[in-house]
Amino acid sequence: MPQCVSGGTQTVGLALGSGSARGWAHIGVIKALNEAGIEIQCVAGSSIGSIVGAALALDKIQNLEAFARQLNWKQIVSFLDVVFPRSGLIDGEKVTNFFRSHMQDIKIEDIPLPYCAVATNLTMGRECILNKGDLIEAIRASISVPGIFTPVKKDNGYLVDGGLVNPVPVSAVRGLGADFIIAVDLSHDLFNKDPEPEQIAPPQATEIEPPNLAKWKIAQDLADRVREFSSPALSQMRQWIQKDPGPNIFDVLTTSINIMEAQITAVRLAMDPPDLLIQPKLGHIRFMEYHKADQAIAEGYKEAKAQLKRSGLIDY
């Protein structure tokens, strides 16, 4: 596979972490790096980071930003092809078709900027670095959140989300030849914090909710926003998530994965620290809130600027 080349200076690599909808912050980080005159010479991405990383490698980051900023709930729901009770709630074919219609049908080894996506091999129980073969298939594997998306069959195994084993792929971008690594961690601000005011519903005179129920509203928010749209899949989804007022299957899966990824990230970053770590404050953006791109991009840009200034890489 292609390696980063430095031309006599340090080779700068970018490790883009997992984090579902919070991943739009990567776009803001890349914008800040560009403004600072920092040339990224290779990129590795895990989960949502694999999407943004591919857009960067293909010089389509502006296209991705334009798409992200105009996303609304109706468009988000249109990507959900529910297939429960198979090996995931969402088949992912619509997402795959969308990628193929908006990205080049290209092999990873033919991308000019060295790139890899990180996935998890369920069969082998270990990290899988996708550095060759079909780009769209690699992205589809890397974003396959267990229990949400069906796994991707590859060779004799099944691949799922790279965040299970390497949420911030510092080691992967180092494997591409980088010797100065900038990493973006999207998970450090998720827990041990008070919910923002918008996450707490105002009290109703006729209904009293159990304490802290608001934090379990990930899927309920989705149900509320798609009620006006009609399809068999959405009807089935509403039945699942409205039966019980407690944490539903989406909440349990996504919150559990967030906890796991935050713990793994902390350990891996301590063992293999990047040269520059950017940690946008994104705890207020939940799993499916891809329509909050403006907020995520702005926070990524802001935090990247702050870290660049603290590190002395920029003086403004």
Side-chain angles (χ1 to χ4, degrees):
M1 75 182 178
Q3 295 288 305
C4 297
V5 292
S6 63
T9 60
Q10 280 190 310
T11 300
V12 180
L14 183 61
L16 299 178
S18 60
S20 59
R22 303 185 302 278
W24 296 143
H26 291 318
I27 297 172
V29 170
I30 291 168
K31 184 177 294 189
L33 296 176
N34 286 339
E35 289 182 3
I38 297 173
E39 181 185 357
I40 301 302
Q41 294 159 296
C42 51
V43 58
S46 188
S47 197
I48 184 68
S50 72
I51 298 175
V52 182
L56 175 63
L58 293 170
D59 196 24
K60 291 182 176 289
I61 199 71
Q62 292 183 339
N63 303 61
L64 182 62
E65 179 178 357
F67 164 76
R69 287 188 185 276
Q70 59 83 44
L71 262 181
N72 56 43
W73 272 106
K74 185 174 183 179
Q75 290 169 300
I76 294 168
V77 169
S78 72
F79 295 133
L80 307 183
D81 39 2
V82 180
V83 292
F84 188 82
R86 287 176 52 188
S87 51
L89 300 177
I90 298 168
D91 183 63
E93 183 177 351
K94 290 182 179 180
V95 173
T96 302
N97 290 340
F98 172 80
F99 287 151
R100 291 203 184 279
S101 67
H102 285 78
M103 284 182 154
Q104 292 174 238
D105 195 3
I106 190 173
K107 291 186 179 299
I108 294 174
E109 56 266 37
D110 295 331
I111 299 175
L113 188 75
Y115 163 89
C116 70
V118 178
T120 302
N121 189 315
L122 281 180
T123 308
M124 305 297 292
R126 66 189 183 197
E127 179 178 346
C128 179
I129 302 296
L130 300 169
N131 52 32
K132 59 183 178 180
D134 183 63
L135 172 64
I136 305 304
E137 183 182 74
I139 292 174
R140 169 68 175 85
S142 186
I143 67 170
S144 296
V145 180
I148 303 295
F149 281 98
T150 54
V152 171
K153 192 175 190 312
K154 186 173 176 62
D155 300 326
N156 295 320
Y158 288 89
L159 304 182
V160 294
D161 196 299
L164 270 67
V165 288
N166 199 353
V168 183
V170 172
S171 59
V173 78
R174 199 183 301 282
L176 290 173
D179 49 34
F180 185 94
I181 297 174
I182 301 170
V184 187
D185 168 24
L186 305 175
S187 65
H188 83 292
D189 190 48
L190 295 182
F191 303 102
N192 298 319
K193 66 190 292 293
D194 294 328
E196 290 204 345
E198 70 171 17
Q199 293 177 266
I200 304 176
Q204 302 292 326
T206 58
E207 182 180 358
I208 300 176
E209 290 189 342
N212 299 321
L213 183 59
K215 72 178 181 179
W216 299 113
K217 291 297 181 94
I218 297 172
Q220 188 62 53
D221 276 358
L222 179 60
D224 292 342
R225 287 170 170 82
V226 303
R227 189 169 284 113
E228 62 186 280
F229 311 123
S230 178
S231 79
L234 295 181
S235 176
Q236 186 180 18
M237 185 185 298
R238 284 196 293 269
Q239 291 179 27
W240 298 338
I241 65 183
Q242 291 177 338
K243 286 182 178 179
D244 194 320
N248 53 64
I249 187 170
F250 289 96
D251 299 317
V252 172
L253 285 171
T254 59
T255 304
S256 298
I257 290 169
N258 283 339
I259 293 170
M260 178 191 66
E261 290 189 359
Q263 295 290 332
I264 294 172
T265 297
V267 172
R268 293 202 65 143
L269 289 178
M271 294 175 61
D272 188 14
D275 298 281
L276 180 67
L277 178 61
I278 299 170
Q279 296 178 306
K281 296 176 176 60
L282 301 163
H284 61 289
I285 297 179
R286 291 175 285 179
F287 180 80
M288 288 292 293
E289 293 183 326
Y290 288 95
H291 64 295
K292 292 188 174 181
D294 289 347
Q295 296 178 36
I297 292 170
E299 178 57 32
Y301 179 84
K302 173 185 171 184
E303 187 60 26
K305 283 281 192 182
Q307 286 299 329
L308 287 168
K309 186 174 182 179
R310 291 186 195 108
S311 67
L313 292 174
I314 61 173
D315 56 7
Y316 57 89

